[in-house]
Each structure stands twice: as structure tokens, then as C-alpha cells.
Amino acid sequence: MPELSVVIVGGLHVDARKAAVEQLLADVPGSVVLHHDLATAAAGTVVRTVRDADGIRDAGETPLVNDCACCALREDLVPDLERLADAGDTPLAVVELWDSVEPKAMAEVVTSGGLTVTGVITAVDPALLLPYLGNGDDLAEGGLAAAATDQRTVADTFARQLEYAPVLAVLDSPEADDEDRELLAQLHPTARQVPIGHGDLAGAQRTKGMSGAHSPLAHAALAGFDVEAAAAAQHPACALLPTEADAHGVSTLVWHRRRPFHPERLYEALEDLTCAAARSRGRFWLADRPDTLLHWDAAGGALCVESAGPWLASLPDAAWDMVPPVRRAAAALDWHPQHGDCCQHLVFTSPGLDREGLAQLLESCLLTDAEYAAGRDAWKQLPPAFDTLLEV
């Protein structure tokens, strides 16, 4: 029996996502699309459809699980995929995620069910990139929440969808300009971009005699995907963050220092720092919590700060065996003889970025020479300004 290949296609840009799905259906004969529509979740059900190039093969409703639409999706999706695998006549199952569902969770669910994810694709309309990254509204306000308890925003959801996928299906949008395309490139510089749609970009790709499973999008869908590596790449300790860039009015500032922040001064600057860029992320080091690696994640004018566990430098040698190899490797590349992996590594990406002003503001939040020289015991006595944010 041939093994079923599963590709996950997601994204809040609905037109781009549907264009990517339709192109896969056309490019891979015999492929099947599975979609769970969560728009009816408020009424207590999720609508499931299974279709191929000829139309709908199966449709029905599945009840919510624990009042959670995403939980219902998890319970229903794997059995559907298993039935396709058992039938043995489907070369590619396309899992089209509903608007706000994030691909990371679904890729892990499919893999844990014993199935093979061969690709994860986020579909993007470059013209909508900045509006979505700047949208701090709760998903619930736009009817996009996946559960009654869903407190995510449009911006942070879209950022995670974008940055998790190794492949971006980019809609050939006439409204997009060089700034939009440059912003996309700087936000996810390692992603493979595949044009979709009916304009010149897509046409240039499709007129080179490439068809079926050899088309760019189909090739990306079948290329292979490592769920564990993808999860590691999202961890703040070893995330592959964007690099310095400046083109078409878009800049990325990479700010790296070996001195901790003063908690009060950083806290006072949070609003300005959060609003300085369309997207910022990374890891940072607070003087009053010198052993804790902290995660910085900002989009849409809102900042999420979380503890990501201890810095490796604060762990006893015996505990290192329990640390994933990718984490140890990342720390080794950035190891300091005095502070180990403790550092500031923050990345800000935006059109019109005030690089100089931002760098000066960040520098002003670090410990002064005198504060730094006082040592760790003195650092720990500084006012704990981040207790509320970190829910201590």
C-alpha cells in the first residue's frame, strides 16, 4: 500500500489559501482536500468536507469536544486521514486549515497519529501583510476565534502562521509593491516562496513545462517536513531569527548584547519598544532574574513576555544530558566565557524603522557600568518590575 502524503495549508489570507489549495488539486491528480469549517463552532458543531477535483466526496458535522472547535478538529481529522491511507488510492491529502488554526498544532497532531506530513505551507497575500501584522484586535472580534477561551489576536496568530511554515505560497497580488514583498522576505528569510495565482509571476513558473507533481507548489508539498526540527526552530533559545537587512524602505535591526536589562528601565520602555516595529521577537535577559531565559514576542502593538526556562549557563553539568541537542548546539555557537548563553538577542522588522533611535532606547535599558559591576547578588535585589507580566 502506498504511504499517504499529507500537506498542511493554512493562513488567515483566505483568498491566497484557497488559491493554493486549488492549485494543488489541479497539479496532483487524485489528491483530496480535507477542511473543517470552524465558523459554526458557536452553534456547537464543526462542518467537515472532503473533496477532490470533481467535487465534494463527503460532508458532515462533528460536535465540539470540550467546547473547543480545534479539539473537535483533532478528533476528526486523523481518522479521516487514516481512512484515506487505508484505501491506498490517494497520493496527496491536502489539509486546508480554517482561518485562525495554526499549522504547528495540526502538524504535530497528524504526525502523532502515525501519518506522514510531507509539507507545511502558509498562503500569503503580500498586500495584506502589514495590515494583518498591525491588527491587534482579538480574533473573537472578527468571528475568528477557535474556542470561547481563545484570546489570541489577529497579529500574533498571523505571525506564527507565517514563521512556522518553511514554504510560503505567495499570491500574485496586483496591489502588492516592492515594500510588501521586501517585508515578507525579511520576516521569514529562510522560507521558500512559491508564486500562486494567475498573474505574471505564477505564469512564469507554470510555462516552463512544469506540471503535475513537478510543479513548484506540488514539489514543495511533497518535499518532506520534520515536525521536531520545526518545533525547535520556534523555541526562543534556538530560533533561527531574521538577519540584518535594509531595502525598499524595510529594515531589520538585530540587537545583541552581553549585559542584562535593568527591569524598571526596560518596563518603562516597553510601550515604545513594542510599537517601534511591525514585528519583533527574540530572547532577553533581566538582571533581577539572571538565570531565566525570557521570550519576547510582539506584533500588532501588543507584547507577550514569557519565561522559556533556564539559560543553559545556569544548569548543572549533569542536567545538560536532558537538553535537546539542537539547544546545546545553538548555545555553543553563541557561548560567552563569562555569561555562557545569557544575552540579549532581539530582532525588529518594519517599514520605516528608526534603527538609531531604537538602538539607543534599548541601550538605555541595560545596566550601567556601576550596576553591572555590582554583580549578580546586587542584580537580584533590583525591583521586580516584570512580576505582573510573568504572572509570578
Side-chain angles (χ1 to χ4, degrees):
M1 181 183 73
E3 187 174 76
L4 177 68
S5 296
V6 180
V7 61
I8 293 172
V9 181
L12 276 164
H13 296 170
V14 179
D15 289 345
R17 189 185 73 232
K18 292 189 179 302
V21 169
E22 293 306 317
Q23 187 163 318
L24 285 171
L25 265 183
D27 287 350
V28 185
S31 58
V32 172
V33 176
L34 300 91
H35 179 61
H36 288 73
D37 190 333
L38 275 56
T40 57
T45 60
V46 174
V47 176
R48 178 190 74 253
T49 56
V50 180
R51 64 189 178 91
D52 56 23
D54 295 325
I56 294 177
R57 290 171 38 164
D58 184 37
E61 293 185 348
T62 183
L64 294 191
V65 177
N66 300 324
D67 293 325
C68 170
C70 279
C71 299
L73 193 162
R74 293 187 185 98
E75 294 289 327
D76 200 61
L77 177 60
V78 171
D80 272 347
L81 291 171
E82 288 174 339
R83 283 190 286 273
L84 288 175
D86 289 340
D89 57 358
T90 303
L92 179 67
V94 181
V95 176
E96 182 193 352
L97 301 181
W98 186 70
D99 302 24
S100 69
V101 177
E102 295 183 27
K104 180 177 184 293
M106 289 304 107
E108 292 172 353
V109 164
V110 172
T111 302
S112 66
L115 295 147
T116 302
V117 175
T118 57
V120 173
I121 299 170
T122 292
V124 182
D125 180 342
L128 298 177
L129 192 60
L130 194 57
Y132 274 65
L133 274 180
N135 189 340
D137 291 347
D138 290 339
L139 291 172
E141 293 178 32
L144 297 171
T149 56
D150 195 341
Q151 297 182 325
R152 295 174 298 155
T153 68
V154 172
D156 66 47
T157 302
F158 177 67
R160 283 191 295 271
Q161 290 177 336
L162 181 74
E163 292 156 6
Y164 179 77
V167 177
L168 302 178
V170 183
L171 190 67
D172 181 21
S173 171
E175 288 80 21
D177 56 21
D178 288 343
E179 180 181 283
D180 297 324
R181 288 184 279 271
E182 181 63 27
L183 179 58
L184 182 60
Q186 290 189 28
L187 285 168
H188 197 347
T190 63
R192 177 185 176 190
Q193 292 192 24
V194 179
I196 57 171
H198 300 289
D200 293 338
L201 263 176
Q205 290 286 338
R206 297 177 66 81
T207 55
K208 296 179 181 179
M210 306 178 82
S211 62
H214 298 290
S215 70
L217 192 64
H219 185 271
L222 295 163
F225 183 77
D226 188 328
V227 171
E228 290 186 7
Q234 300 303 305
H235 192 284
C238 45
L240 191 61
L241 297 171
T243 55
E244 285 275 345
D246 190 3
H248 298 293
V250 181
S251 293
T252 294
L253 171 69
V254 178
W255 192 75
H256 193 273
R257 294 293 183 272
R258 290 291 184 177
R259 182 175 293 200
F261 281 124
H262 187 288
E264 282 189 318
R265 290 200 293 274
L266 179 61
Y267 189 82
E268 290 170 0
L270 285 183
E271 183 175 353
D272 289 338
L273 291 172
T274 300
C275 296
R279 177 73 171 135
S280 58
R281 50 191 167 128
R283 53 189 179 272
F284 68 104
W285 186 24
L286 276 182
D288 65 317
R289 301 167 179 270
D291 297 325
T292 303
L293 189 161
L294 294 165
H295 183 205
W296 178 288
D297 188 18
L303 170 68
C304 177
V305 171
E306 295 178 316
S307 168
W311 296 100
L312 291 194
S314 68
L315 293 176
D317 291 346
W320 278 50
D321 289 339
M322 296 183 289
V323 176
V326 65
R327 170 84 188 273
R328 297 199 300 269
L333 288 172
D334 200 28
W335 197 260
H336 185 274
Q338 183 178 357
H339 301 304
D341 58 332
C342 303
C343 68
Q344 318 292 359
H345 188 172
L346 297 174
V347 177
F348 298 80
T349 300
S350 189
L353 191 69
D354 179 5
R355 299 169 66 95
E356 184 177 341
L358 178 56
Q360 288 178 352
L361 180 57
L362 288 163
E363 297 285 348
S364 72
C365 297
L366 293 173
L367 295 184
T368 64
D369 288 347
E371 291 164 343
Y372 179 73
R376 285 190 169 228
D377 288 342
W379 302 350
K380 292 179 181 179
Q381 302 308 310
L382 292 170
F386 279 73
D387 277 5
T388 302
L389 270 181
L390 294 167
E391 298 179 345
V392 172

